[in-house]
Amino acid sequence: MTIRRLPETLVNRIAAGEVVERPASAVKELVENAIDAGSTRIDIAIANGGRSLISIADNGKGMGPEELPVAVERHATSKLPDDDLLDIRWLGFRGEALPSIGAVGRMSILTRRAGDDSAWSIEVDAGRVGPVKPAAAPPGTRVEVRDLFYAVPARLKFLKTDRAEELAVQEIVKRLAMAHPQIAFTLQQDGRISFRADAVQGELFERRLNRLEQILGRDFADNAVTIEAEREGIRLTGHAGLPTYNRGNAQHQFLFVNGRPVRDKLFVGAVRGAYADFLSHDRHPVVALFLELPSEQVDVNVHPAKAEVRFRDPGLVRGLIVGALRHALAEAGHRASTTVAQTALGALKPQAAPNLNLPFGTNALSAGARWRGYDNLRPANPGLAEAAALYNAPQGDFSGGTVASADDGLAPAARGEETEIAPTVPLQAYPLGAARAQLHETYIVAQTADGIVIVDQHAAHERLVYERMKQNLEAGKVPRQVLLLPEVVELSEAEAARLTARAAELAELGLVLEGFGSGAVVVREVPALLGDVAVRDLVRDLADAIAEYDSVQPLKEQLQEVCSTMACHGSVRAGRRLNLDEMNALLRQMEATPHSGQCNHGRPTYVELKLSDIEKLFGRR
């Protein structure tokens, strides 16, 4: 069979198959062009999921009559002035979007430059380009695509339902809106506005958080920490949700590289690693991160739809993301998400007061003593005095309190006597307040300046113990276990070289190895925390991680997981009675310890209820 050149229309349809996978792909390409044109407002409209209509209107710089015919030719672009594919500073740069879309549907472009006397239009029908015609329109550009894929009917069979395609378009528009808060976006689907985001002004972080609130909701804005870090010319900014504000999947994790929304496995792995201490495997954090780096440090040309990127130094990028997230979460201290309290309040339902039917003469004060904290004024059980000292409680009187005699069956207030049911402490100085009672020997109830806090004593102490163990781990104080028989692990020559190059770093984590010929390493010591570890599997996993991420993070994560398990078994258990000294010491230690707002499995360690919320429960507001 003789080799021949394919017709231009067929070439464009093949290109369209790479660039325009579904209506959402076409919307992405056209909106990116509008952003590159310097628009401050972009209006998107679709019908039937984008099958019958896609319309993108902007107020950007527009095009002249001489540019229109070139714009619909393949590989024609204004985004590479120096023809340097390694210096890409725009979202669209391949010059394939317009001809590819025009090859599989009916496309019309109406455009006008500011200052021009008239607008101009051009039409492309299944690859056939019409003449440029004068028209009337305001400055900017409107691109309309009708009957997408009518020229390649087979592609229509692979589209999903209109609703599914609408949601895909909505997701694309929202991601682009997150990256560009200075631009106003509207999305209209079958005549109804399904998304609107007004342009936001102000300082960078305020502007971004405001836009993220428009898209992700007020809860995210209330429960996000600010991310800002820079390393070797790479800058990371954004916002990340507290661990207790999480989701059941990773769909609410957003990464933007130089303003471009991308999906990247390195990013997903870095976020998972950063939150590994705080979330169980089936829960996922909510984050929006913006990475800015020199164009020569990232290749955005590795995917036809520009959905993936490749970093020159992936280890540096991963380390920056993990480090920045962990630092920001540590700065949040004991803070837990407000949604924890909202969930608790939602579960509470006002009920009629129960009929206690107490026998005549029952001591009413005794019946209510445990709620009021009297029950906790007795001496601690044997062995618990040491716990209070371990918590390093601050100086001050957290014990004592006066309890009037209740022999007459009346509460002290009924006799007109002054009563102090718990010690007086400066509530303003302590965010978690002063302990007032222990419920069911599991939950500590504390009074704050403007509400109450309920603490899960086991979950809270588990986090405190874990953080102490982790400090030792990060300081390189990892106990080692010498192998009776050093284990030789066969690897490729490159893998062995990578491991031996990181031998000093691995030794700090308790893994001592050295080269053993050209394609193997010999392991002499392993971290004692890992117990009876499969040495070969551990070493091979590390070799893979170093090759992909230039990092020994998997070993750190394994050690942290063991520390988490040990902390769980070494902490104060539920069902253990604590006195006021111990309860207050626990509260003070929580306030001074990073991440104490959630246990090692991502569950909250405490719930805070404001007085105003409690008053609403009783109809006082």
Side-chain angles (χ1 to χ4, degrees), residues 275-493:
Y275 280 83
D277 281 358
F278 320 114
L279 292 178
S280 59
H281 295 298
D282 61 342
R283 304 303 297 177
H284 303 269
V286 182
V287 300
L289 300 179
F290 302 83
L291 197 66
E292 299 170 21
L293 69 171
S295 56
E296 65 271 12
Q297 293 286 332
V298 58
D299 185 359
V300 299
N301 202 30
V302 297
H303 190 276
K306 308 184 294 293
E308 300 174 7
V309 296
R310 181 180 294 129
F311 298 105
R312 175 176 291 183
D313 191 343
L316 174 62
V317 173
R318 187 184 195 278
L320 177 63
I321 294 174
V322 173
L325 286 172
R326 287 185 172 175
H327 176 75
L329 294 175
E331 288 290 311
H334 68 276
R335 181 181 166 198
S337 71
T338 59
T339 54
V340 173
Q342 293 168 5
T343 301
L345 287 169
L348 294 175
K349 297 180 180 178
Q351 298 178 2
N355 183 8
L356 297 178
N357 293 322
L358 293 177
F360 182 77
T362 299
N363 189 320
L365 178 61
S366 299
R370 183 162 301 201
W371 273 100
R372 296 178 179 175
Y374 295 100
D375 191 56
N376 295 287
L377 300 182
R378 62 167 62 101
N381 285 349
L384 289 182
E386 293 82 354
L390 177 64
Y391 293 135
N392 297 319
Q395 291 186 354
D397 184 14
F398 289 103
S399 61
T402 60
V403 182
S405 172
D407 293 339
D408 55 5
L410 297 176
R415 297 194 306 269
E417 299 176 14
E418 184 177 351
T419 304
E420 183 183 12
I421 65 171
T424 301
V425 298
L427 293 178
Q428 299 288 353
Y430 298 117
L432 295 182
R436 294 298 193 237
Q438 183 188 31
L439 304 181
H440 301 291
E441 298 178 340
T442 301
Y443 302 101
I444 298 169
V445 179
Q447 178 182 341
T448 65
D450 59 351
I452 65 172
V453 165
I454 305 172
V455 178
D456 182 331
Q457 66 188 41
H458 170 65
H461 193 232
E462 179 184 353
R463 169 55 69 178
L464 299 181
V465 173
Y466 176 54
E467 288 298 324
R468 285 199 295 270
M469 296 178 70
K470 200 169 66 171
Q471 287 176 4
N472 292 333
L473 177 62
E474 292 172 351
K477 300 176 183 177
V478 181
R480 301 174 184 171
Q481 172 182 326
V482 179
L483 296 179
L484 186 62
L485 294 175
E487 188 154 350
V488 177
V489 182
E490 299 287 343
L491 301 163
S492 71
E493 187 173 345

Side-chain angles (χ1 to χ4, degrees), residues 511-574:
L511 183 68
V512 177
L513 56 78
E514 59 190 53
F516 192 77
S518 60
V521 296
V522 58
V523 180
R524 303 191 181 279
E525 299 177 49
V526 296
L529 290 173
L530 295 183
D532 188 16
V533 63
V535 175
R536 282 185 171 82
D537 292 341
L538 173 62
V539 170
R540 286 172 179 147
D541 287 346
L542 283 170
D544 292 341
I546 293 172
E548 186 166 3
Y549 303 121
D550 193 26
S551 168
V552 296
Q553 193 66 28
L555 178 55
K556 294 180 182 178
E557 291 170 359
Q558 282 195 40
L559 290 172
Q560 288 171 351
E561 187 172 342
V562 173
C563 288
S564 176
T565 302
M566 294 173 65
C568 183
H569 291 284
S571 58
V572 172
R573 310 299 295 180

Side-chain angles (χ1 to χ4, degrees), residues 192-226:
R192 57 179 177 82
I193 294 179
S194 60
F195 172 70
R196 183 196 301 275
D198 296 327
V200 184
Q201 306 300 324
E203 180 267 337
L204 174 65
F205 288 99
E206 178 185 357
R207 191 167 67 235
R208 280 183 177 163
L209 188 59
N210 192 308
R211 175 54 60 84
L212 291 172
E213 180 181 338
Q214 293 178 15
I215 298 172
L216 298 178
R218 178 65 182 272
D219 282 346
F220 176 77
D222 289 343
N223 297 289
V225 295
T226 299

Side-chain angles (χ1 to χ4, degrees), residues 175 247-254 268 272 284-285:
R175 285 178 179 268
R247 291 288 186 272
N249 57 49
Q251 295 301 310
H252 290 80
Q253 296 176 7
F254 307 95
V268 174
R272 185 186 298 117
H284 303 269

Side-chain angles (χ1 to χ4, degrees), residues 62-69 108-113 116-123 131-138 140-142:
M63 293 177 282
E66 72 285 356
E67 295 179 288
L68 272 178
S108 65
I109 305 174
L110 179 62
T111 184
R112 178 183 173 186
R113 291 182 297 205
D116 282 3
D117 294 334
S118 67
W120 301 90
S121 68
I122 193 171
E123 295 184 356
V132 176
K133 299 178 181 178
T141 301
R142 177 188 295 273

